Amino acid sequence: RGGGRGGGGGGMDYSRFDRIEDSDDEAPSARQQALTLPLGLPRDAVSREDYDGVWKVLLKRGELPFTPAPDLDGMWGFYKHGGMDEQALLDQACEVLGGFPCRLEPADFKEKTYGLTKKLELAGREDEARMWSAIYVCRFPKDPDGYYNQGVLLNKMCDRAKFGGAPATRLPALDGGPARSVPTEQYCSLFSRAAVGYYRRCLEVDARQRPAYINLIGTLERNEPEGWYEDVQALAQRAVRHGIWYDRWQRPPHFVPTLPARPWHDPAGFGLCRALEEHAETIRGEYDAYIDRLVRRRDWDDADTTPGPGDVGARDGALHDGGLRKSGRWREVPLFANCALQREYAAHFPQTVAVLQAHCADAVGLALCGGGDVIFSVLTPGTRLRPHCGPSNSRLTCHLGVRVPRTEEQGCWVRVAAEAPRGWREGRCLVFDDSFEHEVTYGEPGPGEAFAGERVVLLANFWHPSFKFKNDPEWRAKSDVTMAQVEVESLPQTAVAVRAGRPGS
């Protein structure tokens, strides 16, 4: 690339950067010193000061919502010892700041930028990936994908810190000072707030972006900033106005508009429920025997490999389920999950598994197709699961009461949509459509009240009776073309193919 555009081996000096517009969420800054752009210079000729200066100015561009500082120490290390990709990242940032026109066709620039962003995301280098998204936003501020991708990356960094378990997390700074360790809760609050800002900007650019609604609402639900619930309801109503969903209470990522929808269903109308209730004593007996085996197990007995209940969210593919827990403890004993029979658990429930396989084909089939689970769901007193919507309206959810220490009047209930909360009964089923907003509460014991025990239900997601693509491996793509290849909370690869060539549309 020689000396870059504009010639000269000493970089380029642009005093007009003094008046670059600040981010929406920041107060205007004092007049900055002239910036030297190290465009096209050999790595050995680029100083750390000039490298950092590029990103400091870029992140103050008016096109960008509030953006947390990247780890410039890490980025500098990759740049000094990296290859063409790292050089391209710096050069493209310099070209944006220098006001140079894009040298590629928009579709080509978008495809290449996305490829580099995704490559860095998969390598765990989210800060550099975020800088590619920032560059894209500055190039094409009327294209929603750059804002969406930045929000996804910010969410990913927030969740990694939240679920990592460390009490503190390293927070970089743009002011030239060293990174500092802050409480993880503070770090997550900062990054989730930034993600919300980018999703909002995405919707300002294109109000029909369903992935942005999904991730924005999900971020608000999992982090609960002040006024979050009213905000979620307002967003849901806005989405309904734009035809994203038909009911503000029903907001699944995967949505089949032709399916009949209501929050609650009569269990008597499903053979699955009749079979589970008929065999409820057997199912309860196997669960009690399983717990008794765990209680009696000796710590030194290596021969006993009985797996204990796992925290919801710890299993592969279920990370965000763990983010639904507001308080208390939520655990699971999975029988069918992750597209397979969980044999290490199923071995302790042979009769329950036999009932499921013989009489609950719609639950087993859905689980094997990756659309749901069959698990024992276990809550301790004091547990609250945040209001949320399930992933698809192509399924319904059955809860068979296994251990129910309290009634709804005593603070143990599930609320679906705007309906009155309902409690569980041992040996009886509840059926609801979990694509409608729902929440669960199992209240703390009162003063002087003995421990009531855990609330346990056998949870079985099963195919909606009117769904046309049951047990079809391609059920998602065939029933919801819009979201067929968009992995929510991952970078939207379909945007590169489908929307390519239309920045500003």
Side-chain angles (χ1 to χ4, degrees):
R1 292 178 54 87
R5 294 197 177 198
M12 282 176 271
D13 191 30
Y14 290 91
S15 60
R16 67 173 177 269
F17 300 128
D18 297 350
R19 293 181 295 279
I20 287 179
E21 184 180 353
D22 233 327
S23 168
D24 288 354
D25 288 11
E26 296 178 2
S29 59
R31 183 178 176 88
Q32 299 180 16
Q33 294 181 349
L35 174 69
T36 299
L37 292 178
L39 177 59
L41 293 181
R43 285 186 176 82
D44 291 344
V46 177
S47 70
R48 174 65 188 272
E49 180 181 3
D50 288 344
Y51 182 85
D52 289 359
V54 169
W55 305 113
K56 292 176 183 179
V57 174
L58 182 76
L59 293 181
K60 293 183 180 294
R61 295 275 296 213
E63 299 93 330
L64 303 177
F66 164 70
T67 308
D71 179 4
L72 291 177
D73 289 338
M75 288 177 57
W76 172 250
F78 283 118
Y79 170 75
K80 292 298 286 185
H81 304 287
M84 292 293 293
D85 289 351
E86 288 74 18
Q87 184 68 54
L89 178 60
L90 178 63
D91 285 349
Q92 286 298 321
C94 289
E95 290 192 10
V96 166
L97 295 180
F100 295 120
C102 185
R103 290 179 291 125
L104 298 174
E105 289 297 318
D108 193 21
F109 184 88
K110 182 171 187 175
E111 183 176 0
K112 292 182 184 301
T113 300
Y114 175 80
L116 291 166
T117 303
K118 188 66 178 177
K119 178 181 177 181
L120 289 164
E121 182 213 13
L122 294 174
R125 293 163 62 179
E126 287 87 4
D127 278 329
E128 290 159 283
R130 289 201 295 123
M131 295 307 98
W132 273 118
S133 290
I135 290 168
Y136 187 83
V137 166
C138 292
R139 282 290 190 198
F140 304 111
K142 296 301 182 182
D143 189 315
D145 290 338
Y147 301 105
Y148 177 78
N149 288 347
Q150 184 77 207
V152 168
L153 292 163
L154 291 164
N155 263 350
K156 181 177 180 180
M157 297 174 76
C158 173
D159 286 347
R160 184 167 57 200
K162 179 186 295 184
F163 297 109
T169 303
R170 184 173 175 269
L171 182 66
L174 267 184
D175 59 6
R180 66 186 192 278
S181 181
V182 300
T184 295
E185 182 178 358
Q186 178 182 339
Y187 177 95
C188 292
S189 175
L190 180 72
F191 274 71
S192 65
R193 179 168 68 93
V196 164
Y198 271 93
Y199 291 137
R200 289 193 194 281
R201 186 66 65 83
C202 176
L203 292 174
E204 289 175 11
V205 172
D206 183 354
R208 296 180 59 84
Q209 287 280 315
R210 198 199 313 175
Y213 282 107
I214 293 165
N215 282 357
L216 174 53
I217 289 174
T219 301
L220 293 169
E221 288 175 339
R222 289 194 303 274
N223 295 282
E224 297 188 346
E226 184 177 356
W228 70 274
Y229 191 72
E230 293 76 11
D231 203 355
V232 165
Q233 293 299 310
L235 285 165
Q237 290 173 333
R238 180 182 174 190
V240 169
R241 288 197 300 271
H242 287 285
I244 305 298
W245 297 298
Y246 293 168
D247 187 324
R248 69 186 176 97
W249 296 104
Q250 188 183 33
R251 311 182 297 269
H254 173 268
F255 182 57
V256 185
T258 57
L259 291 177
R262 61 182 186 272
W264 289 99
H265 292 255
D266 183 0
F270 301 98
L272 172 149
C273 297
R274 295 192 294 271
L276 292 178
E277 290 183 354
E278 181 181 345
H279 295 87
E281 288 189 15
T282 298
I283 294 169
R284 166 71 184 254
E286 286 195 326
Y287 184 82
D288 287 347
Y290 164 76
I291 293 299
D292 187 62
R293 183 179 182 90
L294 292 175
V295 169
R296 295 176 179 275
R297 181 168 57 187
R298 302 284 193 269
D299 291 341
W300 45 262
D301 186 3
D302 295 335
D304 188 344
T305 58
T306 305
D311 288 325
V312 171
R315 175 164 48 88
D316 287 345
L319 175 65
H320 289 286
D321 287 343
L324 300 174
R325 181 180 57 82
K326 171 66 173 178
S327 61
R329 193 173 189 191
W330 183 21
R331 296 183 296 162
E332 64 175 359
V333 179
L335 301 180
F336 289 90
N338 296 95
C339 304
L341 174 68
Q342 302 299 301
R343 297 186 182 279
E344 61 175 348
Y345 286 100
H348 301 279
F349 299 91
Q351 294 181 76
T352 301
V353 170
V355 169
L356 291 167
Q357 291 175 326
H359 303 289
C360 306
D362 277 355
V364 173
L366 176 68
L368 296 180
C369 283
D373 303 316
V374 181
I375 65 172
F376 288 99
S377 174
V378 183
L379 301 181
T380 59
T383 299
R384 177 198 158 202
L385 307 184
R386 295 178 169 96
H388 64 285
C389 294
S392 175
N393 68 329
S394 65
R395 72 184 196 185
L396 300 177
T397 295
C398 171
H399 284 184
L400 171 70
V402 177
R403 288 183 176 182
V404 185
R406 291 180 177 165
T407 65
E408 63 266 35
E409 292 81 9
Q410 294 171 316
C412 187
W413 48 262
V414 54
R415 189 267 301 172
V416 184
E419 304 284 331
R422 302 188 187 187
W424 297 269
R425 293 172 56 192
E426 292 183 359
R428 302 300 298 273
C429 290
L430 291 177
V431 176
F432 60 96
D433 185 335
D434 79 337
S435 68
F436 283 84
E437 179 184 294
H438 58 286
E439 63 177 324
V440 175
T441 291
Y442 181 13
E444 290 274 9
E449 184 180 350
F451 178 73
E454 296 173 326
R455 188 239 58 176
V456 182
V457 301
L458 179 64
L459 181 157
N461 304 126
F462 64 99
W463 293 114
H464 190 293
S466 299
F467 187 60
K468 294 191 297 186
F469 301 102
K470 297 178 182 179
N471 302 331
D472 186 329
E474 298 181 2
W475 62 272
R476 285 189 181 89
K478 291 180 178 180
S479 57
D480 186 356
V481 176
T482 302
M483 298 290 286
Q485 299 179 21
V486 177
E487 182 183 353
V488 180
E489 296 192 339
S490 182
L491 297 178
Q493 188 159 0
T494 51
V496 175
V498 176
R499 295 180 56 85
R502 296 197 298 145
S505 64

